[in-house]
Amino acid sequence: MSNPPDQPTDARARLLTHFQTARGTTEHGQKWDDLWKEGFVPWDKGIPNPALVDLLTERQDLFPPSLKASRRKALVPGCGKGYDVLLLSAFGYDAYGLEISSKALEAARQNEKEMDGKGVYETREGVEKGSVTWLSGDFFADDFLKDVKGEGSFDLIYDYTFLSALPPVMRPAWSKRFVELLAPEGRVVCIEFPTYKPASTGGPPWALPPKIYLAHLSRPGVELPYGEDGELLESKLGEPSKIGLQRIEHFQPKRTHQIGYNAEGKVTDWVSVWRHP
């Protein structure tokens, strides 16, 4: 089965144009905030990713219980309207949704009022519902941690479309930050997307085949070699870092958001789960 041809949609063409002049994390964050203020959010699907729902429901063996008296904490950077945050709360995590856009957080708070505890967000049997906290700030700075209970680390950090929203130059900082914020026995969960598009087409969303996650999370903070076409030069990577995360599970989910299927109905997303060495 073939992957879908990467034919730019009107929405993606607008995103490409919108971010052409962005430089650095501050300008990049402002560009996303501008889109939220305009109400142009084509990435919003209105529900948590079904792949995350299934992972939390069917693979609790991947997530060790907290060794502390306090409840486990989860972080969703770039949480948007907060669907995944509400879901993690329903599974017993004290869930934190981090956003650089105040407009996005307004929508997240409204969603919490309307949806929390209902449908897919109903608290799971045998689980005490976790708290929900909305954080305003930059993922790459520490300011938001002042509003986090206890230590500034998390038992679960979730990424779906957050990395694909960042330009490739920010990938070393992204991987380093995940390692810094992950609790000693914690897990990183990535829904890897988009895996099918050529790197040369640019972004956002930027092309993210599984090899990108593997290369960066196993070499946190390291600038990795890329070709002029944007493709990772795997032969020049060198050995993984001793502090890099280890991938403990990697599979294609039974279901995901519609954008994660190709024209023949085959899932193109991957799920990966990571831990400290």
Side-chain angles (χ1 to χ4, degrees):
M1 293 185 179
S2 60
N3 286 332
D6 190 60
Q7 298 176 345
T9 61
D10 290 343
R12 191 159 71 79
R14 181 175 173 184
L15 287 172
L16 286 168
T17 301
H18 184 74
F19 283 93
Q20 278 181 346
T21 60
R23 298 291 182 271
T25 58
T26 301
E27 286 190 21
H28 203 77
Q30 184 59 54
K31 289 287 188 180
W32 285 110
D33 191 39
D34 290 343
L35 292 176
W36 278 102
K37 290 175 180 176
E38 294 172 21
F40 181 73
V41 289
W43 57 86
D44 182 80
K45 305 305 177 187
I47 57 172
N49 193 307
L52 179 62
V53 177
D54 293 344
L55 180 72
L56 294 173
T57 302
E58 301 170 3
R59 294 302 310 272
Q60 277 298 310
D61 59 295
L62 293 171
F63 304 98
S66 176
L67 300 178
K68 301 168 290 185
S70 57
R71 189 183 287 111
R72 292 179 295 178
K73 294 183 296 186
L75 175 67
V76 182
C79 68
K81 293 185 180 180
Y83 310 111
D84 303 307
V85 179
L86 298 179
L87 180 72
L88 287 162
S89 170
F91 276 88
Y93 288 89
D94 282 342
Y96 293 82
L98 175 64
E99 255 297 341
I100 203 165
S101 169
S102 58
K103 193 68 176 179
L105 287 181
E106 286 180 19
R109 292 186 179 97
Q110 185 61 36
N111 272 345
E112 182 184 7
K113 291 179 182 178
E114 297 175 358
M115 302 179 181
D116 198 23
K118 302 175 184 177
V120 71
Y121 307 113
E122 184 177 355
T123 304
R124 278 13 186 213
E125 185 176 353
V127 171
E128 182 181 351
K129 183 183 183 304
S131 62
V132 172
T133 304
W134 307 110
L135 302 170
S136 176
D138 181 352
F139 176 69
F140 300 98
D142 286 341
D143 294 355
F144 72 88
L145 292 175
K146 69 181 185 299
D147 296 317
V148 175
K149 298 176 185 176
E151 300 174 2
S153 61
F154 299 88
D155 302 285
L156 190 155
I157 307 176
Y158 175 63
D159 187 308
Y160 171 64
T161 73
F162 183 63
L163 180 58
S164 69
L166 301 175
V169 69
M170 295 177 68
R171 290 173 185 171
W174 169 86
S175 59
K176 182 174 182 287
R177 194 63 169 149
F178 269 59
V179 171
E180 291 172 345
L181 293 175
L182 188 65
E185 299 299 322
R187 299 290 186 264
V188 167
V189 172
C190 298
I191 309 294
E192 299 174 353
F193 163 88
T195 64
Y196 54 81
K197 61 177 290 192
S200 59
T201 58
W206 298 87
L208 289 176
K211 64 184 178 183
I212 300 296
Y213 293 87
L214 183 60
H216 281 280
L217 286 175
S218 64
R219 300 169 179 83
V222 178
E223 292 189 15
L224 301 183
Y226 284 84
E228 292 184 3
D229 59 357
E231 292 290 344
L232 181 69
L233 302 178
E234 295 179 86
S235 63
K236 298 183 178 181
L237 284 179
E239 293 299 315
S241 168
K242 292 181 179 179
I243 63 168
L245 298 184
Q246 295 180 346
R247 190 172 67 185
I248 61 172
E249 190 62 274
H250 194 228
F251 62 92
Q252 288 194 283
K254 295 179 294 185
R255 57 187 187 135
T256 186
H257 282 316
Q258 189 59 43
I259 198 171
Y261 291 82
N262 68 11
E264 297 169 329
K266 182 180 183 298
V267 171
T268 59
D269 290 353
W270 287 77
V271 175
S272 58
V273 182
W274 309 76
R275 70 180 180 193
H276 285 294

